C-alpha cells in the first residue's frame, strides 16, 4: 500500500531552520534524553577512502518519545574544492519509529549536520564555559569556525572573538566576514597560545592530525571545546590538556574513546585518572557536575552523535510541514 514521503531540499531546509536558540535547546534536550532514557544509538559506521582523501560516516539513534529516527550519511571528500565542489555532502532519511516506513528524505547536503554540530558547541558552552565569558578564541577558518562563533554568542555574553588559521589570509577573511555578520569585535591572530591566553572559551574546529594546543597554554577559567576530531587519525589537543582538566566531558564516552581527543589521551597513558570524565547529557541533567567555579579548567570532546541527527531531522520535518514546503510523493 503506497504511503507519502516528503522530499526536502537544502534550500527548503535553509528557509525553515536556522542556528537559533530553538535548535540549541533541541540538541540540549537530545543529550538529556541520551542520559536519562533508553536511547538506542549504535556505534558510528565510519569508512575511510584514503585513495580519494575521503571518509564517509553513518550515524543514527532511536529516541523514545520521538515519532521517527534518522539515519544520516555524511561523506567528506576533501579533494573536492579543487574541482569546484564542496568537501562535505550528505543526506538524512527519517523513518517512522512505529512502522519503519520512510517519512522524509532530507537532501540537506550537510547543512543539518553543520547546524546540529554548532548547536552542540553552544550546549557545551552553556554548561561549561564561565558565565562571564567575554572573549572567545576559534581555531580554524571553515564553516564550523563561523557557526560555532554564532552559536556560542547566543549562550554567552561574547564581545570579542579571536580567529587563528594555518592560512592567515583565510583567517583575516573570516574575521572580516564575521565582524560584519555578527557585529562582534573579531580579529585574526597568528599565535595560538596568545589566542588561548586571552580567551575564556576556545573552540577548535580543524581536521588536524597533530595537536594544535598543549597544556602549557592552560589558565584558570578556561573552557575548551574540541569538535574537529571525529576519526581515528585526528587530534587537536595534546593529551596533557585532558589530563590537566578539572572536568573532562564527552558527548559519548564510548565514541570519544575511539574517535575523539579522549582516544589519544588514553593511548598515551597520560589520562590514567578518569575520575573527572563524564558525559554531556549527565552534566545537563545534573547527574554529574560540570564547572563548579570560575577558575575551573574544563574540556569538552565532541565527536557528533546520532541522537543529534535524529533530533534535528525531527525538528526540521515539523517545520517543513508547518511551512507547507518540500515535495510529497507516494511510494
Amino acid at each position: 500500500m503506497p504511503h507519502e514521503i516528503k522530499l526536502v531540499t537544502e534550500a527548503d531546509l535553509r528557509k525553515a531552520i536556522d542556528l537559533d536558540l530553538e535548535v540549541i535547546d533541541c540538541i540540549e534536550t537530545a543529550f538529556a534524553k541520551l542520559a536519562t532514557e533508553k536511547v538506542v544509538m549504535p556505534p558510528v559506521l565510519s569508512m575511510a577512502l584514503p585513495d580519494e582523501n575521503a571518509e564517509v560516516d553513518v550515524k543514527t539513534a532511536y529516541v523514545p518519545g520521538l515519532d521517527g529516527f534518522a539515519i544520516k550519511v555524511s561523506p567528506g571528500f576533501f579533494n573536492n574544492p579543487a574541482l569546484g565542489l564542496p568537501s562535505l555532502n550528505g543526506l538524512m532519511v527519517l523513518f517512522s519509529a512505529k512502522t519503519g516506513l520512510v517519512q522524509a528524505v532530507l537532501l540537506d547536503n550537510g547543512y543539518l549536520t553543520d547546524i546540529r554540530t554548532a548547536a552542540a558547541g553552544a550546549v557545551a558552552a552553556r554548561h561549561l564555559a564561565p558565565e562571564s565569558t567575554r572573549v572567545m578564541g576559534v581555531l580554524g577558518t571553515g564553516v564550523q569556525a563561523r557557526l560555532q562563533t554564532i552559536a556560542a554568542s547566543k549562550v554567552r555574553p561574547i564581545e570579542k572573538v579571536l580567529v587563528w588559521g594555518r592560512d592567515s589570509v583565510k583567517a583575516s577573511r573570516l574575521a572580516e566576514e564575521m565582524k560584519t555578520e555578527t557585529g562582534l569585535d573579531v580579529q585574526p591572530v597568528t599565535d595560538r597560545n596568545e589566542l588561548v591566553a586571552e580567551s575564556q572559551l576556545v573552540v577548535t574546529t580543524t581536521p588536524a592530525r597533530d595537536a594544535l594546543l598543549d597544556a602549557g597554554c592552560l589558565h584558570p577559567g578556561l573552557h575548551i571545546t574540541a569538535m574537529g576530531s571525529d576519526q581515528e587519525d585526528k587530534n587537536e589537543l595534546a593529551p596533557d590538556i585532558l589530563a590537566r582538566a578539572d572536568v573532562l566531558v564527552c558527548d559519548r564516552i564510548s565514541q570519544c574513546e575511539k574517535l575523539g581527543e579522549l582516544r589519544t589521551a588514553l593511548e598515551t597513558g597520560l589520562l590514567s585518572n578518569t575520575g573527572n570524565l563524564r558525559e554531556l547529557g549527565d552534566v545537563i541533567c545534573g547527574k554529574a557536575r560540570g564547572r563548579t567555579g570560575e577558575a575551573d579548567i574544563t574540556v569538552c570532546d565532541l565527536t557528533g552523535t546520532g541522537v543529534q541527527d535524529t533530533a534535528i531531522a525531527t525538528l526540521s520535518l515539523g517545520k517543513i510541514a508547518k511551512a507547507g514546503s518540500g515535495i510529497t510523493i507516494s511510494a
Side-chain angles (χ1 to χ4, degrees):
M1 180 177 179
H3 69 282
E4 292 186 343
I5 299 174
K6 184 75 79 172
L7 299 181
V8 188
T9 66
E10 178 186 351
D12 290 329
L13 289 164
R14 286 184 178 273
K15 291 176 184 176
I17 196 160
D18 199 4
L19 182 53
D20 54 22
L21 284 174
E22 182 181 15
V23 168
I24 293 168
D25 291 343
C26 170
I27 297 303
E28 180 172 295
T29 299
F31 280 121
K33 286 180 177 290
L34 186 59
T36 59
E37 299 189 18
K38 294 182 179 179
V39 170
V40 180
M41 190 171 74
V44 177
L45 171 61
S46 185
M47 179 173 68
L49 293 86
D51 292 347
E52 303 297 335
N53 188 26
E55 62 193 36
V56 182
D57 289 337
V58 180
K59 297 180 180 180
T60 186
Y62 163 76
V63 182
L66 295 186
D67 292 336
F69 63 92
I71 296 179
K72 191 267 295 288
V73 182
S74 181
F77 279 65
F78 304 110
N79 293 335
N80 277 3
L83 304 174
L85 298 171
S87 296
L88 301 179
N89 206 307
L91 56 81
M92 296 186 185
V93 182
L94 192 63
F95 296 83
S96 168
K98 299 295 184 183
T99 66
L101 295 176
V102 176
Q103 294 179 320
V105 179
L106 308 178
L107 303 166
D108 70 313
N109 295 316
Y111 174 67
L112 294 181
T113 295
D114 288 339
I115 293 296
R116 64 77 149 151
T117 300
V123 173
R126 179 186 270 169
H127 290 274
L128 296 167
E131 292 186 9
S132 59
T133 296
R134 295 290 191 278
V135 182
M136 175 182 183
V138 180
L139 274 64
T141 58
V143 171
Q144 277 304 310
R146 172 179 165 272
L147 292 180
Q148 291 285 342
T149 301
I150 294 170
S153 67
K154 294 182 182 299
V155 298
R156 284 294 180 265
I158 292 168
E159 299 172 353
K160 182 177 180 181
V161 181
L162 305 177
V163 179
W164 174 90
R166 294 185 191 278
D167 186 327
S168 60
V169 173
K170 288 183 179 179
S172 296
R173 185 185 306 130
L174 177 64
E176 285 302 314
E177 292 172 354
M178 291 304 300
K179 187 181 299 182
T180 300
E181 183 172 356
T182 66
L184 298 172
D185 178 11
V186 188
Q187 300 177 10
V189 298
T190 58
D191 189 309
R192 299 190 295 265
N193 290 328
E194 288 183 10
L195 176 150
V196 178
E198 194 172 340
S199 302
Q200 295 87 53
L201 166 63
V202 172
V203 183
T204 61
T205 69
T206 76
R209 285 167 167 76
D210 297 307
L212 300 173
L213 301 174
D214 60 37
C217 72
L218 298 178
H219 60 81
L222 174 65
H223 171 69
I224 300 176
T225 293
M227 48 74 54
S229 180
D230 57 0
Q231 292 283 328
E232 293 180 354
D233 60 347
K234 292 182 181 179
N235 179 217
E236 294 185 295
L237 305 181
D240 57 0
I241 288 181
L242 278 68
R244 283 273 306 278
D246 295 303
V247 177
L248 175 56
V249 177
C250 297
D251 50 9
R252 189 64 157 177
I253 291 174
S254 60
Q255 193 166 296
C256 291
E257 287 174 337
K258 296 179 179 178
L259 304 175
E261 302 298 332
L262 179 61
R263 173 190 57 81
T264 307
L266 292 173
E267 286 178 352
T268 60
L270 284 178
L271 189 63
S272 55
N273 178 16
T274 57
N276 65 347
L277 180 62
R278 59 223 53 188
E279 292 193 348
L280 184 55
D282 289 331
V283 173
I284 292 167
C285 296
K287 294 170 64 176
R289 71 175 181 88
R291 173 173 294 275
T292 59
E294 290 287 305
D296 280 357
I297 296 172
T298 57
V299 174
C300 187
D301 187 5
L302 297 178
T303 52
T305 62
V307 73
Q308 294 166 251
D309 296 314
T310 286
I312 196 74
T314 301
L315 179 65
S316 298
L317 183 57
K319 287 182 168 292
I320 288 294
K322 186 175 182 179
S325 54
I327 300 171
T328 301
I329 64 171
S330 294

